[in-house]
Amino acid sequence: MEMSEVPLSMAAASANGIAHVTGGDPAKVLAVAENLQPEVASSIFELVEAGRAYEALAYLDRQEGALQSPELRRLRGDLVRALQVLEAHRRPAHGESTSLAALDCILDAQSARRVPPPPTKRLTGVALMTGHLGAGGAELQMARTAEMLAGAAGSQQKIAGVKLSRPFHVVVNSLTPNTNRPLNFFGPVLARKNIPVWALEDLPPAGLEDSLISDETTRALLPLLYPNIRKGLRLVSWFQQQKIQVAYIWQDNAILHFAVAALLAGVPRLVLNFRGMPPVLRWKEHLPEFEKLYTALAAMPGVTFVCNSSKAASAYSDWIGCSRDAFHVISNGSDLHSAHPTARELKTWSEFDARTRDATITIGGIFRMHPNKRPLEWVQFARYYLNSHPKARFVLIGSGVFFETVRDLVRTLGLTRRLLLVQQTKAGTYWLKKMDVFLLLSRYEGTPNVLIEAQLAGVPVVCTPVANATDTFVDGVTGLATSVAIDVEDIAAKVDQIATHARLGDAVPHYARRHISARYSARSMIEHTVRVLSGQRDEWRISVG
């Protein structure tokens, strides 16, 4: 079959596979693709990515005439060299992933080279890094942190005795919107503060021969690494050009993409911010390289771990087998600053309010339409609750992979007149103040910002008892937890109980402000953050035992 006859899906898979073992250079990808059947390329890609590099090499050798191409000979040479170097350090055990073994060798080499950076009273060259800038709790906290750091630097204000100097950078994997959600929700806010935002997808690819990676052993092993780690290597030159002193990386997938590149670039300090529970406990999010990477980083000089809840810190430390004292707990910093509603939002609410004027209770939610957040169960609860409370109404706000499915379910269950579905908003406070009870049914969470913000808006909350969610409210006063399993009868009872309590007085805003100011103040958050980023660690370490 000629390449011109290859279906687009197969050709794309081949190109992706070749990119994996050619360093992503477009010219090399094209050269290999023109000389290799797509089925062969896909098979090599799948085997190397699965940690079966020996099988990939044997498969390539079996392809008749394949090595007539100079590019294919080079491809084979890279794999042979990588396996030889790997075996010189340690031969992988039978059945062991060659990708994990290569990662292990690279991390060992980096650990031996690293020197603990001294504490500093001048913080500059900080890169705050995450997957994207879409509407989410971690993205909100990271954007807020970047704003506060840049603001202090611009005003010559010290934080925790540390002088801050620009630049502060924000780096993401992608800003390109997908079909389910925009990925640059917080970009305009950062632009207004003159904080540069960089996207990994826009940086030039890194070749295997990249001279910026000084260690020959590491360079030789790169073809064996997982693609999500290899992709991040294009940041090596960026780290060095921008003279980054601190890589502050948020969330597991971003850590996987960026941490190895930061090590190879010689970034003195890495601060890794875990949000929520470990990937081994999360729905379909665990990859074998996480444990290998985190275990090595836990013992590496100049690497600090951060969580936003004590429960998450305990779960991570138990999983990777390191001391719980290795983790700082930096609680979220929350406030109610949000944009004004758009004219369209005002019109949408006005029309919904007019047709549900008889409503005796408004139950709402603002979250990403993702299986972890259980949006379908939320809608099913709305149907159950409406059966016994026919004058109830519901407001559900968020975008994501399940948005269309949620909209279809709303229609199927006959909820379109009583449930308002809004895809996206920057006016969170406006919508929160339309609610009588806020409901969150997540499978996993860290410290949900939205629960804090709902209470600050005077809205009591009901949520599943996950991670640190129950610590955000005063039990029985500003919030209640449901049973662990989803039980619509229990949820309905908790909603009724907290709504009745809230109607009796103004206890929710009073207790919420007192509780949240003590636990989730923005000032406390940024002071603790600066101490960690500058290496002033010991006196601020928080026990999570």
Side-chain angles (χ1 to χ4, degrees):
M1 181 166 53
E2 299 296 329
M3 281 298 292
S4 60
E5 299 173 345
V6 175
L8 288 177
S9 59
M10 186 178 291
S14 300
N16 287 336
I18 298 165
H20 170 51
V21 289
T22 60
D25 186 307
K28 295 177 187 174
V29 171
L30 180 60
V32 175
E34 288 176 343
N35 290 280
L36 186 60
Q37 292 284 359
E39 297 91 341
V40 175
S42 295
S43 297
I44 293 172
F45 166 57
E46 291 167 2
L47 289 168
V48 174
E49 185 181 51
R52 297 159 60 188
Y54 288 103
E55 293 174 59
L57 184 60
Y59 180 84
L60 180 57
D61 286 344
R62 289 198 300 269
Q63 304 311 304
E64 185 176 349
L67 297 183
Q68 297 302 313
S69 162
E71 286 296 336
L72 294 182
R73 287 198 299 274
R74 177 175 176 173
L75 172 60
R76 184 183 185 280
D78 286 340
L79 286 175
V80 169
R81 172 65 177 154
L83 291 171
Q84 288 174 338
V85 169
L86 181 61
E87 290 179 2
H89 285 76
R90 68 172 184 84
R91 185 175 181 86
H94 179 70
E96 181 182 4
S97 164
T98 49
S99 296
L100 281 180
L103 177 61
D104 194 30
C105 287
I106 290 172
L107 292 172
D108 281 348
Q110 292 305 308
S111 182
R113 287 186 179 85
R114 288 185 66 81
V115 176
T120 180
K121 289 293 185 179
R122 181 176 180 272
L123 188 60
T124 188
V126 177
L128 294 93
M129 315 178 76
T130 191
H132 55 76
L133 294 176
E139 293 76 18
L140 167 64
Q141 286 295 310
M142 196 199 74
R144 182 172 289 158
T145 300
E147 282 186 81
M148 296 180 76
L149 292 174
S155 64
Q156 304 293 310
Q157 172 190 358
K158 287 186 177 181
I159 296 179
V162 176
K163 180 180 180 181
L164 285 72
S165 302
R166 287 179 180 265
F168 291 93
H169 303 269
V170 168
V171 181
V172 297
N173 188 31
S174 176
L175 293 172
T176 303
N178 58 38
T179 56
N180 300 306
R181 62 189 300 216
L183 298 182
N184 198 26
F185 187 83
F186 295 106
V189 175
L190 297 172
R192 287 195 294 272
K193 301 293 184 179
N194 296 315
I195 299 171
V197 176
W198 307 77
L200 177 66
E201 62 187 359
D202 294 334
L203 298 178
L208 298 181
E209 71 287 351
D210 194 335
S211 60
L212 293 173
I213 300 175
S214 58
D215 179 58
E216 291 184 10
T217 296
T218 295
R219 285 207 306 273
L221 291 172
L222 296 183
L224 304 182
L225 287 180
Y226 292 98
N228 45 22
I229 296 176
R230 280 285 310 284
K231 181 181 178 182
L233 297 185
R234 60 181 66 188
L235 277 169
V236 171
S237 60
W238 182 88
F239 280 127
Q240 295 177 346
Q241 290 165 5
Q242 301 299 328
K243 299 180 180 178
I244 299 301
Q245 300 301 303
V246 183
Y248 189 17
I249 313 177
W250 294 54
Q251 306 190 87
D252 293 295
N253 285 330
I255 293 169
L256 201 60
H257 276 105
F258 303 147
V260 172
L263 293 174
L264 296 180
V267 175
R269 193 182 309 282
L270 279 67
V271 179
L272 310 182
N273 193 331
F274 304 113
R275 316 293 294 184
M277 301 304 279
V280 70
L281 301 179
R282 294 201 306 264
W283 189 77
K284 294 185 178 180
E285 292 185 19
H286 180 52
L287 297 172
E289 54 266 41
F290 278 126
E291 187 171 0
K292 179 73 70 177
L293 180 62
Y294 292 170
T295 301
L297 290 171
M300 202 170 289
V303 178
T304 302
F305 288 171
V306 169
C307 284
N308 67 343
S309 77
S310 58
K311 292 178 182 176
S314 295
Y316 269 96
S317 64
D318 290 346
W319 172 44
I320 61 178
C322 70
S323 168
R324 295 184 183 185
D325 289 340
F327 289 80
H328 293 262
V329 176
I330 302 180
S331 297
N332 292 356
S334 294
D335 57 41
L336 269 182
H337 296 156
S338 67
H340 294 293
T342 63
R344 182 176 180 180
E345 287 178 298
L346 292 171
K347 183 174 183 290
T348 297
W349 171 257
S350 179
E351 292 173 349
F352 179 68
D353 189 41
R355 73 170 182 262
T356 56
R357 190 70 70 180
D358 63 339
T360 55
I361 186 172
T362 303
I363 301 169
I366 304 176
F367 49 80
R368 186 161 45 99
M369 298 299 167
H370 183 276
N372 174 48
K373 305 295 184 179
R374 290 185 171 132
L376 301 183
E377 290 88 337
W378 201 101
V379 174
Q380 289 163 347
F381 162 76
R383 177 67 270 176
Y384 172 86
Y385 193 83
L386 191 62
N387 290 341
S388 57
H389 301 71
K391 292 186 178 181
R393 65 182 177 185
F394 309 86
V395 178
L396 184 55
I397 302 169
S399 60
V401 294
F402 266 29
F403 183 81
E404 296 298 331
T405 305
V406 168
R407 182 158 58 187
D408 290 343
L409 182 61
V410 169
R411 291 169 180 161
T412 299
L413 297 180
L415 289 169
T416 51
R417 288 191 58 80
R418 306 298 296 190
L419 191 153
L420 177 62
L421 189 59
V422 179
Q423 189 164 10
Q424 192 76 60
T425 186
K426 293 186 177 180
T429 302
Y430 170 80
W431 289 105
L432 286 170
K433 290 187 175 180
K434 302 299 181 187
M435 304 172 190
D436 297 309
V437 176
F438 185 94
L439 177 63
L440 186 67
L441 300 177
S442 301
R443 284 184 171 88
Y444 310 106
E445 284 287 356
T447 301
N449 289 302
V450 71
L451 294 182
I452 299 169
E453 291 165 1
Q455 293 168 79
L456 288 175
V459 182
V461 301
V462 173
C463 67
T464 42
V466 290
N468 222 41
T470 54
D471 291 343
T472 65
F473 56 79
V474 181
D475 188 44
V477 179
T478 67
L480 286 170
T482 69
S483 57
V484 174
I486 293 296
D487 179 339
V488 290
E489 291 185 20
D490 174 68
I491 298 169
K494 297 292 172 56
V495 166
D496 287 342
Q497 180 183 340
I498 202 67
T500 299
H501 179 82
R503 290 191 187 105
L504 297 178
D506 61 353
V508 172
H510 170 72
Y511 280 98
R513 281 192 294 270
R514 190 167 69 179
H515 175 72
I516 290 167
S517 64
R519 290 193 178 212
Y520 304 107
S521 106
R523 179 178 179 82
S524 175
M525 178 273 290
I526 201 65
E527 287 184 352
H528 195 172
T529 296
V530 168
R531 289 183 184 274
V532 171
L533 297 182
S534 61
Q536 318 292 325
R537 300 196 301 265
D538 294 340
E539 64 189 282
W540 273 75
R541 189 171 303 281
I542 294 179
S543 172
V544 296

